[in-house]
Amino acid sequence: MKIVMDNMPFIVIGMAIGWLILLGLVVNQAMKLNYMKKRYRKMMAGVDGANLERMLMGHIDEVRKVVSENQRIDEENKRMNELLQNAITRVGVVRFRAFDDMGSDLSYAVALLDSHNNGVILSSIFGREDSRSYVKPIQAGQSTYTMTEEEEQALHDAMKQQ
């Protein structure tokens, strides 16, 4: 105890210095906090006074709308792809001269197929006195009817297409 009493002025001075250091640290932290608050308020004010939080919430709502619209578009694309599977997308055309005494390629065979090679072959044979038209159904690239060389070529040309 005597040591404490003998060194009381030094202890008080040491405590005062420690207290001043702590006070300096508190003031320093208060200044930094004040500076950060000013920066935070400025940031939250956003551009042209618009509140950053409101801007972010607005953007989140827009993103949700875009996601919803993309889902709708994806569903529509799937529906359209399903429709296109049955649409005529492959065409093969062969023109030919059916009779040697005819001067031009007036006869033709046209294959109209979907993506599964289902469809029809339309044929027309032109002669001097008359013309005849034929339709032959096609299932999976085959017909139950006998086909001419030109019809086979039109079917082959149509099936080559993607």
Side-chain angles (χ1 to χ4, degrees), residues 73-85:
I73 290 170
D74 284 345
E75 290 171 8
E76 182 68 16
N77 281 342
K78 287 176 187 173
R79 189 183 68 77
M80 288 172 45
N81 282 337
E82 289 172 8
L83 283 173
L84 282 174
Q85 294 299 310

Side-chain angles (χ1 to χ4, degrees), residues 39-55:
R39 289 189 65 192
Y40 176 76
R41 281 190 215 109
K42 187 175 181 180
M43 182 183 73
M44 290 306 288
V47 180
D48 299 327
N51 184 302
L52 185 61
E53 182 180 8
R54 274 186 257 140
M55 284 175 34

Side-chain angles (χ1 to χ4, degrees), residues 62-124:
E62 286 181 37
V63 167
R64 286 184 181 141
K65 288 177 187 174
V66 167
V67 167
S68 174
E69 181 68 11
N70 282 345
Q71 288 173 342
R72 188 193 65 76
I73 290 170
D74 284 345
E75 290 171 8
E76 182 68 16
N77 281 342
K78 287 176 187 173
R79 189 183 68 77
M80 288 172 45
N81 282 337
E82 289 172 8
L83 283 173
L84 282 174
Q85 294 299 310
N86 297 321
I88 292 173
T89 56
R90 299 174 180 184
V91 177
V93 177
V94 175
R95 290 181 57 112
F96 61 96
R97 185 179 336 163
F99 303 105
D100 289 333
D101 61 345
M102 297 288 291
S104 171
D105 295 343
L106 297 176
S107 299
Y108 60 85
V110 178
L112 305 170
L113 305 176
D114 65 11
S115 62
H116 303 291
N117 291 328
N118 297 326
V120 295
I121 292 185
L122 305 171
S123 299
S124 184

